Structures are given as structure tokens and as C-alpha cells.
Amino acid sequence: MAKQEHNSNQELSMNPEEELIRFENVKLGYNQRPILHGINFKIRKGDYIGIIGPNGCGKSTFLKSILNLIVPMEGTIRMQGKKINRQIRNQLGYVPQDTKFSKEFPLSVSEAVLQGRYGIIGILKRPKKEDFEAVRLALHKVHMGKYAKRPIGHLSGGEQQKVMIARALARNPDIILMDEPTSALDYQMTQSVFTLIEELHDKYGLTVLMVHHDITLIRKHARRLVVLDGTIRYDGSPNTPIADEIIATAYNVSK
């Protein structure tokens, strides 16, 4: 069965001034070898987007392009009308895939979250009152305020990941990018982190773009689904018959 492409952005449209990021005819790859091509895509304020696709389809490459870690081979990526660059990256929060601290790691929870402010504070400059307040508020949002002075290595894996989310939130980002944020967690911890992300989106209006391998979890929690497989094969509501069909095709699953 031939791969299909579907885009339901019209169904999800918002006011143009709410647009945060736009991909315009973007091709991405390494060493002149394309991985993703023909990417035309918009992220709007308040989106909760889940990105899935088979191994090697370009999910991490897609995130790296927004973080300005790789430059498009073709096309342009803009944030609020400006080309993505290092300065604009301060408006992005990022939660990496598998961050784990040993019990001996000499860093408190609040110090770990303060690291999220470094790009704003500046090199060799001391944190100010507003920086410490941003840390306090970020920990409050992830329900980890009471752990502020505790060594981060003494926390469970799920608690450490919540601290990493707080670190991303500390810079008051326009959007938070997540790369497999529960890959190292057990079922209960995974559910707890997804519940938190949903709360941050619904209560605080956080814009979320998450790459994840678990199709069921993404379709349950995300409000918008993107299927990558060389290009964008689907962009729309997570649970529709056409989403079922395109997912089955992308993952080469017989129906």
C-alpha cells in the first residue's frame, strides 16, 4: 500500500499572530544525505503536538533543527517571523531523553533548575532575584518545590525528570520541546509525567512538542498528531480512521 499524506491544519487553525514556529519547504539531513524533505509545518501557541514515526524517520533531526543544532539543507525555519538562531533559542525549553544523576552528584534540585536560566543570565554573571524567583515558580508548577534543597541524585527517576521539566520552564519559554521524556521510566512514573505535562498545557497554556516512541500514549495525551516518515505523512487529530491507516502504513503493520 502506498504511503499517504494528510494535513488537517485548516481544522486546527488559529489566528496568524498566534503562530510560533514555521517550517517553509525544509529539507534536513547530514553530510548531504537527506532524512526529511518537503517539510511545511506550523506550531501555534497552545499546541500540544505529539511526533511519532518508525526508527530512523527523522524525529530527533526534526527537534535538532528547531534548536538550531543543525541547519536546513533547503528551506527556512522561522520563530515568530525570524530565522531560528542562538539568541532565539532562549525562547525554547528543552527536555532531553534520558537525564539521570547519581547519588554522589553535587547539585541540589534548585541549582539544577537554575541551569535553565544560564542563557538568560549570561556568561560569568551572577543570578538575580528574578532568576531565583523563576526557579521557585518552575518547581511549584511541577509540584517539586519541597525538594528544592535536596540533592538531585537522591530523587527517583521520575522526580528527576520533573526537575528537568522545571529546568526547561525556568526560562519562561514560548514552547517546550521534549525528546522521549519517559524512555527510562517505569509505567507508573511515565503516567505521572504525562499527567504533569497535560496539566502544564491545560492550566498554564504551555505549548508542547513531544517526540515519543509509544504511539498509544501519544494518541491518548497529545491534541495534535504528526507522523514522520521521510516527510510529514499526517498532521491532524490523533484519533481518526485516516490516522490509523497512515500509522499502519508508516510502521508497515498489516491491518
Side-chain angles (χ1 to χ4, degrees):
M1 181 178 177
K3 289 184 173 69
Q4 303 176 52
E5 298 183 25
H6 176 77
N7 189 305
S8 60
N9 275 344
Q10 290 183 343
E11 303 166 19
L12 300 157
S13 64
M14 299 173 67
N15 294 331
E17 62 268 25
E18 299 293 315
E19 182 179 295
L20 294 179
I21 294 175
R22 176 190 288 258
F23 283 66
E24 299 173 335
N25 300 313
V26 170
K27 180 190 288 186
L28 299 170
Y30 305 92
N31 300 321
Q32 301 304 310
R33 183 174 68 86
I35 294 176
L36 291 169
H37 68 276
I39 304 297
N40 291 286
F41 180 72
K42 299 176 186 177
I43 303 173
R44 300 177 178 85
K45 185 176 180 180
D47 270 339
Y48 181 174
I49 304 172
I51 301 213
I52 63 172
N55 291 337
C57 74
K59 299 187 292 295
S60 293
T61 300
F62 189 80
L63 281 189
K64 287 178 181 178
S65 71
I66 300 176
L67 292 165
N68 196 39
L69 297 177
I70 62 171
V71 178
M73 299 169 68
E74 294 179 8
T76 306
I77 305 172
R78 301 182 187 276
M79 184 167 185
Q80 295 177 333
K82 300 178 182 179
K83 281 189 178 181
I84 293 278
N85 56 40
R86 289 187 177 274
Q87 185 176 3
I88 288 176
R89 273 172 56 186
N90 281 332
Q91 298 170 247
L92 303 171
Y94 175 62
V95 180
Q97 182 171 357
D98 185 13
T99 305
K100 191 168 184 179
F101 299 90
S102 68
K103 287 189 176 182
E104 295 76 26
F105 197 80
L107 199 68
S108 72
V109 165
S110 60
E111 288 169 338
V113 176
L114 185 61
Q115 290 179 343
R117 299 283 299 177
Y118 285 178
I120 297 170
I121 295 169
I123 300 174
L124 301 179
K125 293 185 179 180
R126 296 180 64 85
K128 299 178 180 179
K129 182 179 179 180
E130 57 263 33
D131 299 309
F132 293 112
E133 176 60 19
V135 169
R136 186 199 67 78
L137 181 58
L139 284 171
H140 168 74
K141 287 181 177 179
V142 301
H143 310 294
M144 293 292 290
K146 65 182 179 180
Y147 298 98
K149 296 182 179 180
R150 186 171 297 187
I152 191 169
H154 290 194
L155 303 183
S156 69
E159 289 168 340
Q160 288 185 14
Q161 196 64 336
K162 289 179 180 180
V163 173
M164 292 300 97
I165 294 172
R167 184 175 69 172
L169 293 176
R171 62 175 60 199
N172 299 314
D174 292 316
I175 179 173
I176 189 167
L177 309 174
M178 298 183 168
D179 188 4
E180 300 279 1
T182 64
S183 62
L185 305 182
D186 62 23
Y187 176 81
Q188 187 174 357
M189 292 287 190
T190 294
Q191 294 300 316
S192 178
V193 169
F194 266 94
T195 297
L196 172 63
I197 294 166
E198 195 159 9
E199 178 183 336
L200 293 170
H201 173 266
D202 294 346
K203 185 175 181 179
Y204 298 104
L206 183 66
T207 305
V208 179
L209 180 73
M210 181 194 297
V211 165
H212 210 281
H213 68 278
D214 192 316
I215 301 170
T216 301
L217 271 176
I218 281 291
R219 297 183 78 181
K220 179 180 178 181
H221 292 278
R223 310 299 163 82
R224 180 177 161 197
L225 180 72
V226 171
V227 181
L228 291 180
D229 187 17
T231 189
I232 293 179
R233 299 297 176 187
Y234 179 84
D235 180 358
S237 299
N239 297 291
T240 64
I242 193 168
D244 293 339
E245 188 174 344
I246 292 176
I247 289 168
T249 300
Y251 286 85
N252 196 25
V253 176
S254 298
K255 298 190 67 181

